[in-house]
């Protein structure tokens, strides 16, 4: 999975167009199928290019922050998250029961 951040909706669409053009040209030169699935062509903040073996997410900075795919797909806890002192609901419930 690749995540690319665009500066605007226009930039996002331009990145996608350039990517699609390059991949189709490469696939034609190799004699490979040129079928590529694209989702979000009408979206203002997120497009997904599915190449089969991997997926490319092209997002505006606002969408990238809102959806936080890096955290969703992360397998490790980052140092910032490990020092987070925010209490979860279950921790708060346990404290209330002790009182």
């Amino acid at each position: 999975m690749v995540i690319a951040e665009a500066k605007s909706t226009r930039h996002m669409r331009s990145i996608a167009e350039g990517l699609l053009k390059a991949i189709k040209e490469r696939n034609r030169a190799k004699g490979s199928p040129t079928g590529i699935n694209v989702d979000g062509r009408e979206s203002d903040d997120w497009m997904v290019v599915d190449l089969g073996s991997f997926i490319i997410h092209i997002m505006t900075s606002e969408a990238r922050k809102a959806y936080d795919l890096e955290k969703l797909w992360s397998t490790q806890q980052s140092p910032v998250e490990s020092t987070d002192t925010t209490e979860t609901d279950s921790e708060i419930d346990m404290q209330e029961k002790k009182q």
Side-chain angles (χ1 to χ4, degrees):
M1 176 171 60
V2 175
I3 300 173
E5 185 173 309
K7 296 177 183 187
S8 65
T9 299
R10 184 175 182 175
H11 186 219
M12 177 185 70
R13 290 183 179 142
S14 177
I15 291 170
E17 284 178 33
L19 178 65
L20 292 170
K21 182 178 179 185
I23 292 169
K24 285 180 180 181
E25 287 175 1
R26 187 199 63 153
N27 285 353
R28 281 189 196 113
K30 287 184 157 189
S32 301
T34 58
I36 300 169
N37 295 319
V38 180
D39 228 356
R41 288 184 190 264
E42 300 302 319
S43 173
D44 289 335
D45 60 358
W46 187 0
M47 291 180 73
V48 179
V49 180
D50 184 352
L51 301 172
S53 57
F54 63 96
I55 295 173
I56 302 168
H57 296 271
I58 308 168
M59 311 169 90
T60 62
S61 60
E62 295 83 9
R64 187 171 180 185
K65 287 175 191 170
Y67 295 107
D68 199 8
L69 294 181
E70 290 92 342
K71 184 176 179 181
L72 179 67
W73 289 98
S74 174
T75 57
Q76 295 182 352
Q77 190 175 29
S78 73
V80 173
E81 292 169 336
S82 64
T83 60
D84 186 9
T85 59
T86 306
E87 295 178 343
T88 64
D89 289 342
S90 60
E91 290 171 333
I92 293 169
D93 289 343
M94 288 176 63
Q95 290 175 3
E96 289 174 355
K97 287 179 184 178
K98 289 180 183 179
Q99 296 174 356

